[in-house]
Amino acid sequence: MILGDCELHIISDGNFKLDGGAMFGVVPKALWHRLEPADDNNQIQMGLNCLLIIRGAQRILIDTGIGNKYDAKFAKIYAVQQPRNLLDNLHAKGFEPADITHVIMSHMHFDHIGWNTRANENGEIVPTFRNATYFAQNGEFETAQNPDPRSKASYLPDNWQALQRTGQLELLNGTGEVLPGIESVITGGHTEFHTIVKLTTPAGVAVFLADLVPTPSHLKTPYVMGYDLFPKQTMDVKPKVLRQAIDEHWLLIFEHSARVTSGYLCEKNGAYVLEEVEL
Ligand SMILES: [Zn+2]
């Protein structure tokens, strides 16, 4: 899809599964299972949708999926399905890892930054995108390095330590432009420094919602993940972002949807309606 001076592609890293109850917090299963049917383990299908923005010579990747550094136990717990992973799908669009110039992380949980790094032929963990500058919020990086017991399992140092060694990690200090027209916007909610990424072009705005609204089944204000550290903040910020998305006709991108990855939001009889767009 072309948006102003940018070309946008959804690049999938496959699918995985999470517990349906954990994905909907206090919402009863009787309500959420109509939107997201659960399997025998009560898990629901989740996408790993990353966004590639091409603008002039820039190839900007927003989040990098779950990666491939996991072991068999992890693959089983999260039912990781990667018939084609992020690199396969980039290749299919004509891009190799060395072509990526910038990586912007929404936050640093393992299902968002997995392909930041990979093992080389000697088994050493190295940056996957050797020519890229990688951006993360400083506050999120500090949390990732000193996680509390609740967050510890979500932060895997293998996903960023190699970037520190090569000097490819650049830390951001709050909401602001990472590149001209591309803003990292702190929302909090999911983690203290969780961000969405806002792309402004002459032809309109696209917003990568990350874990603020992981799937279209999470549009309603109370439909908040049990994983969120600050659910009341999510419930405060989400409707404001969605209001603006409706009023200003933003293209919305849903990172964890296994079905509808993007669309424009409108309101009919007080309910959100998503007009699907294929990227
Ligand atoms: Zn996530």
Side-chain angles (χ1 to χ4, degrees):
M1 175 179 175
I2 305 289
L3 187 67
D5 52 355
C6 296
E7 203 181 298
L8 307 182
H9 299 274
I10 297 283
I11 310 289
S12 167
D13 192 29
N15 285 332
F16 72 125
K17 290 183 176 183
L18 288 174
D19 184 83
M23 277 305 293
F24 288 95
V26 299
V27 178
K29 185 173 182 181
L31 297 179
W32 63 252
H33 93 280
R34 287 186 290 205
L35 305 170
E36 301 285 344
D39 67 13
D40 292 344
N41 293 322
N42 206 45
Q43 288 187 314
I44 61 170
Q45 194 69 266
M46 308 266 298
L48 292 159
N49 307 311
C50 306
L51 177 66
L52 176 66
I53 304 169
I54 299 169
R55 186 176 62 180
Q58 297 173 332
R59 276 103 182 86
I60 304 149
L61 198 51
I62 315 295
D63 280 358
T64 64
I66 203 163
N68 75 340
K69 300 187 295 300
Y70 50 81
D71 59 16
K73 186 180 164 198
F74 179 100
K76 187 162 181 259
I77 292 172
Y78 297 109
V80 181
Q81 308 137 59
Q82 292 175 312
R84 298 207 317 183
N85 64 31
L86 182 88
L87 301 192
D88 299 327
N89 287 320
L90 269 177
H91 181 78
K93 297 263 184 193
F95 301 103
E96 300 309 321
D99 298 331
I100 302 299
T101 56
H102 304 82
V103 173
I104 302 174
M105 301 173 228
S106 66
H107 63 300
M108 298 183 81
H109 284 168
F110 65 75
D111 55 322
H112 295 258
I113 62 168
W115 280 110
N116 277 6
T117 61
R118 61 176 166 180
N120 67 12
E121 43 300 349
N122 305 321
E124 295 154 354
I125 307 291
V126 297
T128 305
F129 308 104
R130 60 182 155 89
N131 295 317
T133 305
Y134 292 67
F135 298 90
Q137 286 290 340
N138 188 32
E140 177 71 12
F141 182 59
E142 281 179 6
T143 305
Q145 286 187 299
N146 302 294
D148 60 35
R150 178 164 167 178
S151 301
K152 204 170 182 356
S154 301
Y155 291 111
L156 308 180
D158 268 354
N159 286 330
W160 65 78
Q161 282 175 343
L163 308 175
Q164 291 176 277
R165 279 198 298 277
T166 58
Q168 283 172 266
L169 181 62
E170 204 157 301
L171 296 174
L172 306 167
N173 285 303
T175 292
E177 278 193 337
V178 181
L179 294 164
I182 302 182
E183 220 181 325
S184 169
V185 180
I186 294 179
T187 63
H190 184 61
T191 68
E192 189 177 353
F193 295 92
H194 173 273
T195 64
I196 56 177
V197 179
K198 184 178 177 190
L199 166 70
T200 304
T201 80
V205 169
V207 173
F208 187 83
L209 292 165
D211 279 342
L212 177 66
V213 193
T215 79
S217 302
H218 293 84
L219 287 165
K220 285 182 182 170
T221 302
Y223 283 51
V224 170
M225 289 191 278
Y227 297 108
D228 283 17
L229 296 179
F230 308 100
K232 287 201 304 190
Q233 193 177 19
T234 303
M235 291 179 70
D236 177 45
V237 172
K238 181 168 67 172
K240 289 180 185 152
V241 168
L242 295 180
R243 180 77 259 158
Q244 215 179 341
I246 294 168
D247 293 345
E248 299 176 15
H249 198 61
W250 293 354
L251 176 66
L252 299 177
I253 294 145
F254 299 91
E255 185 163 18
H256 284 317
S257 174
R259 295 187 303 271
V260 180
T261 59
S262 30
Y264 290 98
L265 198 62
C266 49
E267 215 170 16
K268 281 188 186 125
N269 305 322
Y272 291 126
V273 178
L274 189 70
E275 291 170 15
E276 203 178 320
V277 174
E278 279 272 334
L279 288 198

